[in-house]
Amino acid sequence: MNSPKPNDGNQTPNPPEMPITKHEPYISGYEENGVVQFRPDNTITRAEVAAIIARCSADFDENKTYSSNFTDVSGDEWYANYVGYAAEKGYISGYDGGPFKADIDITRGELAVILSKYGSFDGDGICTEFSDVPNDYYATGYIKSLYDENIVSGYEDGTFKPDNSVTRAEAVTMMNKVLGNPIAENAENPFGDVSPNHWAYNQIMTAVQGK
């Protein structure tokens, strides 16, 4: 079941300019029984995306407390500071009634809104490039902006699948493109579940090594 759309598309203003970013690692893997995995096909949550946004921003201060008004973020959660930072900058917002819903999977449409705002892309217009993005879809202009910037290209069947959950591999690929990070080639691979033949191999190495 698709979650209701957040207010990201119509309640927060576009940031005035692209933030100063850092080319540093912004995501890590999981260790289980001595084996480190990235789990590229696992989905990624709204909290995890907020953490990525904060970690990639040069003005994010780990020692500063950033607060938010979300009804379900108390301030004690591991992600509270990341969410507070991203909300303060206008990159994210919550759902009707005030919750952020940190632990639910982020959708491709939601991520398009957030990354467009983070990259200071205009988010205007109507996306006609994909057959499954209606003109009145809340993220249509943001999806178009990412398409125009060559950050997303959709699927071979001409769809974007805006309500599908985003995988970890897809998230780092889109984020690297927004950041303009140089792609890591011939990097040491710390993961037992990411083959060099994986479609996002170099993008994953870039995200975890920051180079």
Side-chain angles (χ1 to χ4, degrees):
M1 178 182 297
N2 293 330
S3 60
K5 72 178 181 65
N7 293 322
D8 292 304
N10 56 29
Q11 282 200 351
T12 52
N14 287 329
E17 59 185 20
M18 176 75 178
I20 298 174
T21 60
K22 299 181 291 188
H23 288 186
E24 295 181 3
Y26 60 80
I27 195 170
S28 59
Y30 306 86
E31 185 170 353
E32 184 175 346
N33 299 323
V35 177
V36 180
Q37 299 180 332
F38 185 74
R39 303 177 187 173
D41 298 322
N42 280 20
T43 54
I44 193 166
T45 67
R46 287 169 56 83
E48 290 170 330
V49 168
I52 287 174
I53 291 292
R55 290 169 184 156
C56 290
S57 302
D59 65 348
F60 174 71
D61 185 350
E62 291 277 1
N63 298 313
K64 180 180 176 180
T65 298
Y66 300 90
S67 60
S68 68
N69 294 321
F70 300 122
T71 57
D72 56 352
V73 180
S74 68
D76 297 326
E77 303 88 351
W78 70 265
Y79 52 77
N81 228 28
Y82 300 127
V83 170
Y85 169 84
E88 180 180 297
K89 300 295 285 190
Y91 305 138
I92 63 171
S93 63
Y95 292 79
D96 289 339
F100 179 68
K101 301 185 180 182
D103 293 325
I104 68 171
D105 293 344
I106 198 163
T107 68
R108 289 169 58 81
E110 290 172 350
L111 187 58
V113 173
I114 292 169
L115 292 185
S116 290
K117 291 184 175 185
Y118 185 73
S120 295
F121 308 135
D122 58 34
D124 294 330
I126 293 173
C127 182
T128 59
E129 288 77 12
F130 303 113
S131 60
D132 60 343
V133 179
N135 291 351
D136 60 352
Y137 186 70
Y138 76 98
T140 183
Y142 297 102
I143 295 170
K144 177 175 177 56
S145 290
L146 293 190
Y147 178 85
D148 290 345
E149 296 288 335
N150 295 315
I151 292 166
V152 299
S153 57
Y155 295 89
E156 292 182 356
D157 63 357
T159 63
F160 184 73
K161 305 186 190 312
D163 294 320
N164 278 19
S165 297
V166 180
T167 68
R168 285 165 57 83
E170 290 172 335
V172 299
T173 298
M174 294 168 70
M175 191 66 189
N176 287 340
K177 290 180 178 181
V178 171
L179 294 170
N181 279 352
I183 299 302
E185 297 181 358
N186 302 315
E188 181 179 352
N189 180 8
F191 303 117
D193 64 338
V194 181
S195 162
N197 294 323
H198 190 281
W199 69 268
Y201 178 81
N202 286 337
Q203 298 285 357
I204 293 168
M205 295 304 111
T206 299
V208 300
Q209 299 186 33
K211 58 183 179 179

